[in-house]
Amino acid sequence: MEIKVLRKILSHNEHQAENNRDIFHKHGIVVINMMSSPGAGKTTILEGTIDRLKAKYKMAVIEGDLMTSRDAERIHNKGVPVVQINTEGGCHLSAGMIYKASHELDLENLEIIFIENVGNLVCPGAFDLGENFKVVVSSVPEGDDKPLKYPLMFQEARACILNKVDLLSHTNFNLHNFLKDVYSLNNKGTVLQLSATAGTGFDDWCRWLEGEYQWELAKKHGK
């Protein structure tokens, strides 16, 4: 019985995700679903990304959180449109939530939308939101065992950002094992090492992101 209910929920979500994808495609918007556990640094990474790219691209953020709007306020202070979704205990965003939130944005004047998903390494990986691709953020203080503990998240992501690498020398984090595990789960993905607070690694991340943006646009135009 529970399996049937879950299949129905996922089926409904997938249908709405395709509808979202058609809407974003029609407007020429590239959508990135950012996922991580709580405290991995998604919001700080988004702040740094906006600082570096908002002069080149028209960006917005859909901010998912359990209860507060603190992360959305941080994004708002960066001067880009932001829509807050509070799941009130829900462990992930759904395609229906994204559909409603996207209609609060001026889609005609956007090129990139970042979705900051709820902090959780389990549920978000299973729910398509209509994004072009997923990015998972892991951080050094969490430990190097997260890819094998939460494989779906890393399998689904086009890129993995390893954040807080400035702490590598202060922990027993095994970088070799982490990279090996990520690539064993997803040999087509990319791992980017970054310290959002120190600012290191942002050039590589932004360069990769711009390349993926251009590739998605080329697909849209059939090139």
Side-chain angles (χ1 to χ4, degrees), residues 97-191:
M97 293 175 185
I98 297 303
Y99 176 80
K100 292 178 182 178
S102 68
H103 282 72
E104 297 185 37
L105 294 169
D106 182 7
L107 299 181
E108 295 288 347
N109 289 298
L110 287 176
E111 296 169 304
I112 298 174
I113 295 176
F114 292 99
I115 299 170
E116 184 173 353
N117 218 313
V118 177
N120 185 342
L121 282 178
V122 181
C123 304
F127 283 79
D128 184 2
L129 304 180
E131 72 273 1
N132 290 81
F133 56 89
K134 296 177 172 71
V135 172
V136 61
V137 179
S138 192
S139 67
V140 169
E142 296 174 68
D144 53 54
D145 58 350
K146 293 301 176 287
L148 295 187
K149 281 189 173 182
Y150 305 99
L152 179 62
M153 188 74 73
F154 292 86
Q155 289 168 339
E156 291 290 317
R158 190 178 293 182
C160 168
I161 296 176
L162 177 61
N163 191 25
K164 307 184 184 181
V165 293
D166 52 312
L167 301 179
L168 280 170
S169 61
H170 304 285
T171 69
N172 61 357
F173 188 98
N174 190 313
L175 181 59
H176 172 78
N177 285 348
F178 179 84
L179 295 174
K180 176 174 64 68
D181 291 342
V182 171
Y183 286 123
S184 72
L185 294 168
N186 185 351
N187 60 14
K188 294 182 180 180
T190 298
V191 178

Side-chain angles (χ1 to χ4, degrees), residues 42-44 46-47 50 60-86 104 114 116-117:
K42 294 191 305 297
T43 307
T44 306
L46 282 176
E47 287 176 313
I50 291 166
V61 176
I62 296 175
E63 185 69 49
D65 215 333
L66 295 178
M67 300 299 292
T68 73
S69 61
R70 290 178 180 176
D71 290 344
E73 291 165 8
R74 288 169 58 184
I75 298 298
H76 174 74
N77 289 336
K78 291 296 177 179
V80 300
V82 58
V83 178
Q84 175 72 54
I85 300 174
N86 286 125
E104 297 185 37
F114 292 99
E116 184 173 353
N117 218 313

